[in-house]
Amino acid sequence: MSKRIAAVSGGLGGLGTAICLHLARAGRTVIALDLPRPERLDAFRRETAGLDVHVMSLDVTDFAACGEAVRAIEAAHGALDILVNAAGITRDVTLRKMEPAQWDAVLEVNLGGVFNLCRHAVEGMAARGFGRIVNISSVNGQTGQFGQTNYAAAKAGMHGFTMALAREVARKGVTVNSVSPGYCETAMVAAIPDAVRAKIVEQVPVGRLGRPEEIARAVAFLADDDAGFITGANLPVNGGLFMSF
């Protein structure tokens, strides 16, 4: 079996970097897709030194650019086997104060980016008879969160997208699943005021924030060749913050 090729959108972010590292250490060739981020790139390259990890500049809101990126990966490596959609932003504000630009920006990145990359990647996966798509959602897509109607809508929409696409490609050897992290030790969570963050931790049954590598392990599990009988599922990794059947 040839080496699996994985692409991770938002690959230079906190969760994205952990996912890239975990997939590479599991023997994958990994391409981190992200906006040009000079302030992060040097640190990323140090963290991934010695691993089969590459960086490709990409704006996930650009449909044509996503197609070009997928075709470039397939041309350079022969396939795109694993796609992890981890690109995400927040523009938190209550709905009464939310501007259309704040709504549009979050939906375009967090949900539109999933469509843009999946739309171009899934055809090749189906033709080759193998694919693993993992969409990084959020516990707030399940529970909602104050000041996050845009973010919660995008992340909840990701679940519906995941289940629908999973049905379309299940017979083609392609699985589509989502992972819903809780609050983790990332820059996004670090930006939350200390008092608010402390209250969040109090509500988490395990009593702490998650670690990015814990999310990455869940992604690697769903991306494994042996995970072919799991599709259309959502795997919550939230320390018990939200529990359901």
Side-chain angles (χ1 to χ4, degrees):
M1 182 185 68
S2 60
K3 193 173 186 180
R4 296 297 188 196
I5 311 302
V8 181
S9 75
L12 301 188
L15 287 182
T17 296
I19 293 166
C20 289
L21 286 168
H22 211 83
L23 291 174
R25 288 167 180 159
R28 275 60 170 161
T29 295
V30 180
I31 299 94
L33 307 172
D34 214 320
L35 293 169
R37 298 175 65 179
E39 78 287 354
R40 177 69 184 124
L41 190 55
D42 287 344
F44 179 82
R45 285 177 170 156
R46 287 194 298 271
E47 291 176 80
T48 58
L51 297 171
D52 192 2
V53 178
H54 313 267
V55 178
M56 181 182 292
S57 180
L58 179 67
D59 177 356
V60 298
T61 69
D62 187 329
F63 180 78
C66 287
E68 292 170 5
V70 169
R71 289 189 292 273
I73 292 169
E74 291 174 332
H77 301 281
L80 173 55
D81 303 302
I82 299 164
L83 172 62
V84 182
N85 288 296
I89 62 170
T90 56
R91 296 291 185 269
D92 294 354
V93 63
T94 60
L95 184 64
R96 290 182 297 167
K97 298 178 181 179
M98 186 175 293
E99 298 294 333
Q102 294 168 311
W103 172 268
D104 291 343
V106 171
L107 269 291
E108 286 172 6
V109 173
N110 296 19
L111 187 56
V114 176
F115 165 77
N116 290 340
L117 279 169
C118 286
R119 173 64 179 78
H120 291 292
V122 75
E123 191 67 32
M125 290 179 174
R128 292 185 294 270
F130 179 89
R132 297 285 184 265
I133 297 173
V134 184
N135 298 320
I136 306 302
S137 184
S138 168
V139 65
N140 291 343
Q142 300 173 285
T143 66
Q145 181 56 274
F146 186 93
Q148 285 196 332
T149 52
N150 48 7
Y151 185 80
K155 293 301 188 179
M158 191 183 290
H159 293 300
F161 179 97
T162 294
M163 292 185 288
L165 182 57
R167 291 184 182 275
E168 292 182 11
V169 295
R171 296 290 180 95
K172 302 294 185 180
V174 182
T175 66
V176 190
N177 295 288
S178 60
V179 172
S180 288
Y183 290 89
C184 295
E185 296 169 351
T186 63
M188 189 179 291
V189 173
I192 298 173
D194 291 345
V196 175
R197 191 165 59 251
K199 289 182 179 179
I200 290 171
V201 173
E202 286 178 5
Q203 298 172 26
V204 180
V206 301
R208 63 173 176 84
L209 297 174
R211 294 185 291 272
E213 57 267 26
E214 292 175 306
I215 311 305
R217 280 195 290 272
V219 172
F221 165 71
L222 292 171
D224 195 86
D225 280 27
D226 291 334
F229 203 57
I230 305 171
T231 197
N234 176 59
L235 179 55
V237 189
N238 59 39
L241 182 60
F242 176 71
M243 303 181 190
S244 68
F245 283 107

